[in-house]
């Protein structure tokens, strides 16, 4: 009996030792190396800010990435991105422009599905002078709504180039904007959208198969409340108005009620700010939109 007891204890201890010990790994976020804005760097008003980060959720999936700018006593959420990234790193680059605040503190937060989070920061100081840059101007770009067969449907904002369903093959990564009409709040709404927006494939099924689907953010509050003055738009010869008009707190990848005469601030996937003046907008699916565009070079 004694030998049997010893054998059972030995078997139990062996089994216990063979069990894997579960270790909870917290989420992590780090700055990428390279030509990014550095901690304590002095950047002139209007100068470009670029931050590259790498995040993961640790033992759990990464579910949220949030980037905030603290400047002049205000907290501005620049990015609030829902994710589900499991077992791998997630890389992200954010571009912005230096405000007139003497100091900005940028906060970068990663959170996993257990709501465990981690935050890192970077401080940027205001440098001397101004660094507003040149812009490109496209006086007239015409794009078709979803059922229009006369005009292209896809637009690269940086070059003003349009693509139809056939020509877009191989150029998907350059597409920033598409347009459609739909009924919302009882109104047929001319709408500016982007390939990454969830409903885009409903109007243009080809978008659903694209490997790269760019996100363009539109400031819908500026559109709804006519916050950009037409005279200022016409007078803009550098990017100062383009940058100042875009408020990240009120943005979406889908901008409805873009009627004739509206002016739409936007920011592209690669961080370029711009303004769109809606020269003409039909309210039928067979119609088209004519756009005047000013965008950072």
């Amino acid at each position: 009996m004694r030998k049997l007891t010893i054998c059972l204890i030995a078997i139990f201890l062996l089994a216990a030792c063979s069990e894997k010990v579960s270790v909870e790994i917290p989420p992590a976020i780090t700055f990428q190396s390279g030509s990014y804005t550095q901690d304590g760097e002095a950047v002139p008003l209007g100068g470009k800010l670029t931050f590259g980060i790498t995040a993961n959720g640790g033992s759990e999936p990464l579910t949220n990435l949030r980037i905030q700018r603290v400047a002049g006593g205000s907290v501005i959420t620049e990015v609030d991105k829902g994710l589900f990234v499991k077992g791998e790193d997630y890389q992200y680059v954010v571009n912005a422009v230096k405000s007139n605040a003497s100091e900005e503190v940028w906060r970068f937060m990663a959170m996993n599905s257990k709501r465990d989070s981690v935050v890192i920061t970077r401080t940027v100081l205001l440098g001397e002078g101004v660094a507003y840059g040149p812009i490109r101007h496209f006086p007239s770009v015409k794009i078709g709504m979803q059922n229009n067969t006369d005009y292209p449907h896809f637009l690269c904002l940086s070059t003003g180039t349009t693509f139809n369903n056939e020509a877009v093959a191989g150029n998907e990564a350059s597409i920033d904007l598409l347009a459609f009409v739909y009924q919302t709040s009882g109104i047929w709404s001319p709408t500016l959208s982007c390939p990454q927006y969830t409903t885009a494939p409903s109007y243009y099924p080809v978008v659903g198969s694209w490997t790269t689907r760019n996100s363009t953010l539109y400031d819908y509050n500026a559109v709804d409340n006519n916050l950009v003055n037409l005279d200022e738009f016409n007078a803009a010869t550098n990017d100062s108005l383009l940058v100042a008009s875009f408020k990240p707190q009120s943005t979406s990848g889908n901008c409805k009620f873009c009627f004739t005469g509206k002016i739409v601030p936007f920011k592209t996937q690669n961080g370029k700010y711009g303004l769109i003046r809606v020269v003409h907008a039909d309210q039928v699916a067979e119609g088209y939109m004519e756009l005047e565009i000013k965008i950072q070079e």
Side-chain angles (χ1 to χ4, degrees):
M1 176 63 76
R2 183 182 177 188
K3 290 182 178 179
L4 178 60
T5 301
I6 292 173
C7 288
L8 290 173
I9 293 173
I11 292 171
F12 173 78
L13 291 174
L14 183 62
C17 290
S18 66
E19 290 181 3
K20 292 183 179 179
V21 177
S22 177
V23 178
E24 290 290 325
I25 302 174
I29 184 168
T30 58
F31 290 112
Q32 298 175 19
S33 60
S35 55
Y36 297 107
T37 304
Q38 299 301 304
D39 192 45
E41 184 175 343
V43 180
L45 175 65
K48 186 175 182 179
L49 306 177
T50 306
F51 306 97
I53 55 173
T54 300
N56 66 70
S59 301
E60 306 296 327
L62 177 68
T63 54
N64 183 252
L65 176 67
R66 184 176 301 165
I67 301 173
Q68 295 177 316
R69 181 198 315 227
V70 183
S74 299
V75 179
I76 301 167
T77 299
E78 299 279 343
V79 177
D80 193 354
K81 194 174 183 66
L83 303 164
F84 191 85
V85 180
K86 186 177 182 179
E88 60 181 309
D89 287 340
Y90 179 78
Q91 296 186 336
Y92 190 81
V93 174
V94 58
N95 297 286
V97 169
K98 182 68 185 74
S99 72
N100 62 359
S102 60
E103 178 182 284
E104 297 179 2
V105 177
W106 285 75
R107 300 195 299 223
F108 305 83
M109 185 194 77
M111 185 171 69
N112 66 19
S113 58
K114 278 192 169 182
R115 302 192 68 79
D116 296 326
S117 62
V118 60
V119 177
I120 57 176
T121 64
R122 185 148 282 183
T123 300
V124 184
L125 306 177
L126 181 63
E128 296 182 357
V130 295
Y132 287 120
I135 62 175
R136 293 178 177 174
H137 181 205
F138 307 111
S140 177
V141 177
K142 294 180 180 179
I143 55 172
M145 302 300 193
Q146 63 266 34
N147 293 344
N148 184 288
T149 57
D150 296 323
Y151 293 107
H153 295 118
F154 307 112
L155 171 63
C156 171
L157 284 165
S158 295
T159 64
T161 306
T162 56
F163 300 86
N164 61 25
N165 286 19
E166 292 73 33
V168 77
N171 294 290
E172 297 91 345
S174 68
I175 304 304
D176 304 298
L177 180 148
L178 47 85
F180 51 79
V181 171
Y182 77 112
Q183 192 172 34
T184 176
S185 302
I187 300 171
W188 285 98
S189 167
T191 301
L192 296 178
S193 193
C194 65
Q196 194 180 97
Y197 197 72
T198 53
T199 60
S202 302
Y203 299 94
Y204 300 102
V206 66
V207 172
S209 64
W210 291 3
T211 303
T212 300
R213 293 172 59 182
N214 286 333
S215 171
T216 300
L217 294 176
Y218 306 97
D219 186 345
Y220 57 82
N221 183 60
V223 176
D224 292 344
N225 295 287
N226 300 313
L227 298 184
V228 182
N229 181 275
L230 176 59
D231 291 337
E232 291 179 330
F233 173 86
N234 289 334
T237 57
N238 63 35
D239 63 359
S240 59
L241 178 67
L242 283 57
V243 171
S245 300
F246 182 87
K247 307 299 182 186
Q249 307 96 308
S250 58
T251 59
S252 172
N254 197 67
C255 190
K256 57 187 179 180
F257 306 134
C258 293
F259 301 112
T260 298
K262 290 289 187 177
I263 298 177
V264 187
F266 68 86
K267 185 180 181 183
T268 66
Q269 174 90 37
N270 61 2
K272 290 189 176 183
Y273 294 86
L275 291 170
I276 295 170
R277 180 174 76 91
V278 182
V279 179
H280 173 85
D282 285 324
Q283 291 175 250
V284 293
E286 294 76 21
Y288 73 97
M289 298 182 78
E290 181 180 0
L291 310 174
E292 181 180 4
I293 302 165
K294 292 187 175 184
I295 185 170
Q296 289 178 313
E297 282 192 359

